[in-house]
Amino acid sequence: MIRALIIIAALALALPAHATEAGWALLRNGGQVVLLNHANAPGSGEPAAFDIEACRTQRNLSEQGRQQARRIGALFAARSAPVQEVLASRYCRTKETAELAFGASLVETADWLDPVEPETPEAEVRAQKLRETIEAYTGSGILVLVTHGDFIQAVLGTRSREGEAVVVNLNENGLHAAARIVFN
């Protein structure tokens, strides 16, 4: 009985590693689109005085989040995952994640990557924009879209952790999470 529980626990712990390796395998070939949830930013929601133009009024990355973002970039480089283009939502935590991971010169902002509530008309508009972006992407490297957990939930119907990457593609059934990469 105890042996069976140990085996089950070991398999459960191995699942994220397997999912992560499958994600890296896809990325090594390039031509992929990745939704990256921003790195660690404590709290939830935005402060009452929120202003999209002023980082001091937003929920921002912690020092742990900054380290996590640097580690994400280092792992992309170490795993030979060729990042070609990076788009980030307008929020400071997503821009900072993108800049620390991939370099400021590679990062552009896109308002359609800002947070969105699931199951709203706006969520469907954003999902359509993501579909169009995937269809139009012809690069040989990787397109990284740094966004928010709410956005990923709204367009894919799946939750993601801070600093988690979801390799996303489009098939006959719509948007699909092809693989995940978990950054510890």
Side-chain angles (χ1 to χ4, degrees):
M1 177 71 161
I2 292 176
R3 180 182 161 121
L5 290 174
I6 291 171
I7 291 171
I8 291 170
L11 288 173
L13 291 173
L15 289 177
H18 176 70
T20 294
E21 287 308 316
W24 286 122
L26 280 173
L27 295 186
R28 273 190 293 278
N29 297 327
Q32 300 293 323
V33 177
V34 172
L35 289 175
L36 176 63
N37 193 350
H38 62 78
N40 182 262
S44 63
E46 297 303 326
F50 172 79
D51 177 357
I52 194 71
E53 301 296 325
C55 290
R56 68 183 180 344
T57 68
Q58 300 179 31
R59 187 166 57 92
N60 293 300
L61 296 183
S62 64
E63 186 52 41
Q64 176 187 354
R66 288 183 196 90
Q67 290 172 4
Q68 184 181 34
R70 289 183 198 98
R71 195 167 46 251
I72 289 168
L75 283 169
F76 267 84
R79 293 292 194 126
S80 299
V83 175
Q84 184 172 342
E85 189 177 344
V86 180
L87 298 177
S89 93
R90 297 175 299 158
Y91 285 61
C92 295
R93 61 185 171 272
T94 58
K95 290 188 292 188
E96 188 175 16
T97 297
E99 290 171 356
L100 290 171
F102 307 110
S105 63
L106 204 55
V107 178
E108 294 181 36
T109 58
D111 63 354
W112 63 272
L113 290 170
D114 290 350
V116 63
E117 290 294 320
E119 300 180 25
T120 62
E122 184 60 25
E124 182 49 41
V125 168
R126 306 278 185 89
Q128 180 58 35
K129 179 64 178 169
L130 179 59
R131 285 189 288 272
E132 291 167 1
T133 299
I134 292 170
E135 287 175 347
Y137 186 65
T138 59
S140 60
I142 299 162
L143 169 59
V144 179
L145 307 173
V146 186
T147 187
H148 307 261
D150 292 344
F151 179 90
I152 295 168
Q153 173 75 35
V155 300
L156 289 180
T158 185
R159 304 211 38 89
S160 65
R161 294 185 269 178
E162 289 180 328
E164 182 177 4
V166 180
V167 182
V168 63
N169 61 30
L170 192 58
N171 61 28
E172 62 278 352
N173 298 320
L175 292 170
H176 172 70
R180 292 174 176 268
I181 299 174
V182 178
F183 300 95
N184 294 331

